[in-house]
């Protein structure tokens, strides 16, 4: 370690002021580390957008400095952006846990990206570069192979928690609290800690409590059991499989992401009995109390398996009165209405439904609640603290928790994506910003879906689109035929003939006036039609549809 006259920079390109899109940068002189590269799923107002990823302009400018990408665990908000990152810049090596590597490779195959320079993270791995010394500590989360990072820099030690909770009776391995305490005793300059559940008081439930509750439900119910959970919660899938084996139930999987997770669990030895899983057609020979359906759709997604089952649209599954449906999940903010609609439809089918509540332990979060965040702060004992991975209110509350746990308030930093904090000789301060923001992914298109396109999509969804086709003789500057006008999402044309005729007359009036007074210009004519037609339609209907003039040019004297 050397070069103490140069500051070490820490900046988030995603993950601050939001839940998802995690990407954190640690930089010293000519070396740069990237931690995670996740996606964020779009809100309802981002029409047609599949994912939101980071603006990586800063990485493109500093691509020669990149020493590697470090992955804390295999959830989408930490690995989902890797295919797009690899398509944009050269990443020399990806350090990743084994489970995350399997998930990443599947994503790369789907997008025809050839990349194979991985190194598997274990607790014994130690990565050393000219300026950095990186080691890894086991944490507990809802997916196996989750790690915190200890990054020693010339200006102090940074501890990055990844996503974590403290569970003293987990389904998988315990978090290595002793190794965390050792790092704390050796001295941590800056703690970056998961804030997702900072607004939730107390402790999170143990995964073993959920295991016990679901085990009882599977064992005691005399009909078919249908369980919807997050496909990413591999530990939950593992103990559902173990309970089904105990009570002689076979499992039918519905949902592509669920199939991928089960395959991953089988390949990594987390589930050992492949014979538990059967095809839906093979279930016809089984009694109903010998069947468990494991499916996606716990968040009310309209195309997911559970939604299609509830709507009676699933080709292979029809609900019966003795079915038990278990939502082994909690609503993601914004999804409560969709989930309630599905639950109501299930009740209308006459089935029993269980959802997570304070009275039933059928789900627990993988993120630390307030008392567990206090544990992390007390164990690590940082001099400086920057909460990460959370909306502003979560970061704010986590900062308050940090102060309660002995961090001076002036040593806490609530940052936004792009804000730079610097470590220099054991001291930390804010210093400047870099470019950061949201990039929209729509199918295979990355970055060309801007705010103007989203605005147009919103307008079309609200007020529709109106298309007018014009035939114009550019030599005689005359409109050859009356305008052909059609609409989608604006009005029912057959029931609004008088309105459509008024619009046609207005278009003819605008075009004839333009051709009489002005030199012919394709672009100018289109703009003039839109300029005059939009207020005219708004006055008649109160709507502002997208107007698309299509001009067919004829050159005849």
């Amino acid at each position: 370690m050397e070069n103490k006259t140069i500051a070490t920079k820490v900046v988030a390109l995603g993950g601050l002021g939001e839940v998802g899109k995690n990407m954190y940068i640690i930089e010293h002189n000519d070396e740069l580390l990237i931690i995670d590269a996740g996606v964020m799923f779009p809100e309802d107002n981002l029409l047609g957008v599949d994912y939101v990823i980071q603006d990586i302009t800063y990485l493109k400018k500093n691509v020669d400095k990149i020493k590697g990408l470090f992955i804390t665990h295999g959830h989408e908000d930490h690995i989902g952006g890797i295919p797009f990152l690899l398509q944009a810049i050269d990443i020399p090596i990806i350090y990743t846990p084994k489970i995350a590597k399997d998930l990443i490779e599947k994503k790369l195959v789907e997008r025809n990206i050839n990349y194979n320079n991985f190194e598997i993270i274990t607790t014994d791995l130690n990565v050393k570069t000219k300026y950095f010394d990186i080691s890894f500590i086991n944490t507990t989360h809802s997916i196996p192979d989750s790690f915190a990072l200890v990054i020693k820099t010339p200006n102090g030690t940074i501890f990055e928690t990844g996503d974590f909770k403290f569970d003293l009776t987990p389904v998988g391995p315990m978090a290595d609290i002793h190794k965390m305490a050792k790092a704390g005793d050796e001295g941590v300059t800056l703690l970056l800690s998961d804030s997702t559940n900072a607004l939730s008081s107390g402790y999170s439930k143990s995964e073993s409590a959920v295991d016990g509750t679901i085990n009882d439900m599977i064992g005691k119910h005399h009909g078919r059991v249908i369980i919807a959970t997050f496909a990413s919660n591999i530990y939950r899938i593992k103990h559902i499989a173990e309970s089904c084996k105990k009570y002689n139930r076979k499992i039918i999987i519905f949902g592509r992401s669920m199939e991928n997770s089960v395959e991953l669990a089988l390949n990594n030895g987390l589930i050992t009995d492949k014979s538990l899983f059967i095809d839906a057609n093979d279930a016809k020979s089984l009694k109903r109390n010998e069947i468990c359906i494991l499916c996606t759709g716990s968040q009310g997604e309209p195309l997911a398996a559970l939604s299609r089952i509830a709507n009676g649209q699933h080709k292979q599954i029809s609900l019966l009165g003795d079915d038990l449906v278990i939502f082994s999940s909690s609503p993601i903010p914004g999804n409560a209405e969709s989930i309630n609609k599905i639950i109501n439809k299930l009740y209308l089918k006459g089935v029993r439904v269980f959802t997570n509540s304070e009275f039933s332990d059928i789900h627990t979060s993988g993120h630390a609640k307030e008392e567990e965040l206090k544990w992390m702060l007390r164990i690590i004992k940082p001099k400086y603290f920057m909460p990460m991975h959370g909306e502003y209110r979560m970061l704010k509350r986590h900062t308050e928790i940090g102060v309660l746990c002995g961090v001076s308030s002036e040593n806490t930093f609530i940052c936004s994506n792009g804000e730079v904090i610097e470590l220099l000789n054991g001291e930390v301060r804010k210093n400047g910003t870099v470019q950061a923001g949201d990039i929209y992914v729509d199918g295979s298109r990355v970055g060309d879906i801007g705010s103007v396109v989203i605005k147009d999509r919103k307008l079309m969804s609200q007020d529709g689109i109106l298309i007018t086709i014009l035939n114009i003789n550019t030599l005689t500057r005359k409109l050859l035929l009356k305008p052909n006008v059609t609409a989608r999402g604006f009005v029912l044309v057959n029931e609004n003939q008088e309105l459509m005729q008024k619009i046609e007359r207005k278009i003819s009036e605008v075009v004839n006036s333009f051709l009489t007074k002005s030199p012919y210009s394709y672009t100018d004519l289109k703009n003039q039609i839109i300029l005059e037609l939009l207020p005219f339609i708004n006055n008649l209907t109160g709507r502002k549809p997208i107007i698309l003039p299509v001009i067919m040019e004829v050159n005849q004297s």
Side-chain angles (χ1 to χ4, degrees):
M1 295 289 173
E2 54 182 49
N3 225 324
K4 288 194 174 183
T5 60
I6 297 174
T8 302
K9 297 178 182 179
V10 178
V11 60
L13 296 184
L16 300 183
E18 59 197 5
V19 175
K21 200 165 124 276
N22 290 282
M23 180 182 282
Y24 307 93
I25 309 300
I26 314 292
E27 179 184 353
H28 187 92
N29 201 14
D30 60 352
E31 291 192 335
L32 183 151
L33 312 178
I34 308 169
I35 302 174
D36 290 331
V39 296
M40 185 166 63
F41 293 102
E43 296 181 358
D44 291 342
N45 63 332
L46 295 177
L47 302 174
V49 173
D50 297 318
Y51 307 109
V52 183
I53 59 174
Q54 309 82 4
D55 181 339
I56 58 167
T57 300
Y58 185 75
L59 292 179
K60 290 177 179 178
K61 291 178 179 177
N62 293 278
V63 68
D64 293 338
K65 295 183 178 183
I66 297 171
K67 306 308 293 183
L69 169 62
F70 294 79
I71 301 301
T72 58
H73 66 284
H75 279 157
E76 282 293 297
D77 56 337
H78 295 260
I79 67 168
I82 291 175
F84 310 110
L85 184 65
L86 291 176
Q87 287 173 323
I89 59 174
D90 180 40
I91 301 294
I93 185 169
I94 298 177
Y95 298 93
T96 173
K98 175 64 168 63
I99 296 290
K101 175 180 178 287
D102 291 351
L103 291 166
I104 293 165
E105 287 182 323
K106 189 174 286 288
K107 291 179 179 297
L108 299 183
V109 168
E110 288 173 354
R111 291 189 174 265
N112 295 316
I113 297 171
N114 184 24
Y115 185 93
N116 55 16
N117 197 18
F118 295 96
E119 184 160 352
I120 301 300
I121 291 174
T122 66
T123 54
D124 297 326
L125 180 65
N126 185 225
V127 179
K128 291 186 178 181
T129 69
K130 182 167 55 174
Y131 298 119
F132 298 113
D133 184 325
I134 306 108
S135 55
F136 307 90
I137 300 178
N138 266 336
T139 58
T140 300
H141 191 42
S142 56
I143 188 172
D145 278 358
S146 297
F147 290 91
L149 276 60
V150 182
I151 306 163
K152 294 179 180 178
T153 80
N155 290 296
T157 298
I158 299 168
F159 191 103
E160 208 266 23
T161 66
D163 289 359
F164 77 97
K165 65 184 287 187
F166 286 114
D167 187 343
L168 301 183
T169 54
V171 172
M174 269 278 295
D176 195 338
I177 298 173
H178 299 292
K179 197 170 180 180
M180 291 179 188
K182 185 173 184 291
D185 288 341
E186 290 175 354
V188 171
T189 309
L190 176 66
L191 172 65
L192 309 178
S193 185
D194 173 18
S195 306
T196 311
N197 263 347
L199 298 172
S200 300
S201 60
Y203 294 90
S204 58
K205 298 172 195 169
S206 171
E207 189 68 33
S208 61
V210 176
D211 190 5
T213 303
I214 292 178
N215 181 73
D216 288 345
M217 288 181 168
I218 291 174
K220 292 177 180 177
H221 186 63
H222 298 298
R224 194 169 53 179
V225 176
I226 302 171
I227 303 177
T229 191
F230 295 113
S232 60
N233 195 334
I234 293 174
Y235 280 135
R236 188 73 44 77
I237 296 168
K238 168 183 165 65
H239 69 62
I240 289 169
E242 289 169 351
S243 294
C244 286
K245 183 173 183 178
K246 180 179 178 180
Y247 293 108
N248 195 33
R249 286 185 187 264
K250 297 294 185 181
I251 301 173
I252 307 168
I253 308 165
F254 289 117
R256 184 161 165 260
S257 58
M258 190 66 75
E259 290 173 358
N260 290 340
S261 291
V262 170
E263 181 185 351
L264 185 77
L266 287 165
N267 290 343
N268 285 276
L270 295 162
I271 299 174
T272 55
D273 189 351
K274 192 172 184 178
S275 67
L276 279 169
F277 301 93
I278 62 170
D279 186 82
N281 294 324
D282 297 331
K284 295 173 183 177
S285 61
L286 298 176
K287 297 176 183 176
R288 294 179 64 77
N289 64 354
E290 295 175 339
I291 298 170
C292 175
I293 294 171
L294 184 58
C295 64
T296 55
S298 65
Q299 298 302 301
E301 304 96 316
L303 299 179
L306 186 62
S307 294
R308 288 183 284 122
I309 292 170
N311 289 323
Q313 296 172 342
H314 201 285
K315 294 180 180 178
Q316 295 168 294
I317 299 295
S318 297
L319 290 171
L320 296 175
D322 64 345
D323 284 336
L324 170 65
V325 179
I326 301 171
F327 282 79
S328 186
S329 62
S330 290
I332 294 172
N335 290 348
E337 185 177 346
S338 298
I339 295 169
N340 288 336
K341 285 180 180 178
I342 297 300
I343 292 171
N344 282 327
K345 288 177 180 177
L346 291 168
Y347 273 114
L348 284 168
K349 299 283 186 180
V351 304
R352 295 175 64 196
V353 180
F354 273 91
T355 59
N356 188 54
S357 72
E358 60 183 306
F359 306 110
S360 60
D361 294 336
I362 56 175
H363 177 67
T364 183
S365 174
H367 299 273
K369 291 188 177 181
E370 182 174 328
E371 296 305 313
E372 296 154 86
L373 297 177
K374 290 177 182 176
W375 270 40
M376 183 63 78
L377 283 153
R378 290 298 190 186
I379 291 168
I380 301 303
K381 299 175 289 191
K383 184 177 179 181
Y384 295 90
F385 173 46
M386 187 186 95
M388 63 172 189
H389 194 181
E391 298 171 2
Y392 178 82
R393 59 197 175 121
M394 301 166 187
L395 305 179
K396 175 70 173 172
R397 179 57 190 152
H398 201 176
T399 301
E400 293 168 354
I401 294 168
V403 173
L404 288 174
C405 291
V407 182
S408 299
S409 58
E410 62 269 20
N411 288 3
T412 62
F413 298 91
I414 302 177
C415 294
S416 302
N417 292 332
E419 279 193 278
V420 178
I421 63 174
E422 290 186 340
L423 288 73
L424 184 61
N425 296 326
E427 304 295 323
V428 180
R429 61 171 186 163
K430 279 189 181 183
N431 189 17
T433 60
V434 303
Q435 183 172 329
D438 293 342
I439 300 296
Y440 302 139
V441 179
D442 183 351
S444 60
R445 298 159 64 194
V446 179
D448 61 346
I449 308 298
S451 58
V452 174
V453 174
I454 297 298
K455 183 180 178 182
D456 283 348
R457 289 179 178 180
K458 288 179 185 175
L459 287 173
M460 283 189 280
S461 71
Q462 294 164 359
D463 292 338
I465 183 170
L466 185 138
I467 302 168
T468 176
I469 300 174
L470 305 166
N471 290 273
I472 292 176
N473 188 324
T474 56
L475 294 178
T476 62
R477 287 174 33 186
K478 288 185 178 180
L479 183 62
L480 297 177
L481 301 168
K482 74 173 185 177
N484 184 334
V485 180
T486 186
R488 291 291 183 273
F490 169 50
V491 294
L492 284 173
V493 175
N494 292 338
E495 296 180 7
N496 291 273
Q497 289 294 329
E498 185 178 346
L499 171 64
M500 300 306 287
Q501 288 169 5
K502 288 181 180 179
I503 292 172
E504 288 174 2
R505 287 195 293 271
K506 179 63 178 179
I507 294 169
S508 297
E509 177 187 316
V510 172
V511 172
N512 288 327
S513 175
F514 179 89
L515 294 175
T516 301
K517 298 177 182 177
S518 307
Y520 176 76
S521 163
Y522 182 94
T523 302
D524 289 347
L525 177 55
K526 283 179 65 175
N527 291 339
Q528 190 65 29
I529 292 168
I530 295 169
L531 182 67
E532 294 194 41
L533 193 58
L534 193 59
F536 177 78
I537 293 174
N538 189 37
N539 286 335
L540 289 176
T541 66
R543 298 179 184 176
K544 295 181 178 180
I546 297 288
I547 298 171
L548 290 181
V550 177
I551 300 173
M552 312 294 290
E553 296 178 333
V554 178
N555 298 308
Q556 290 180 345
S557 56

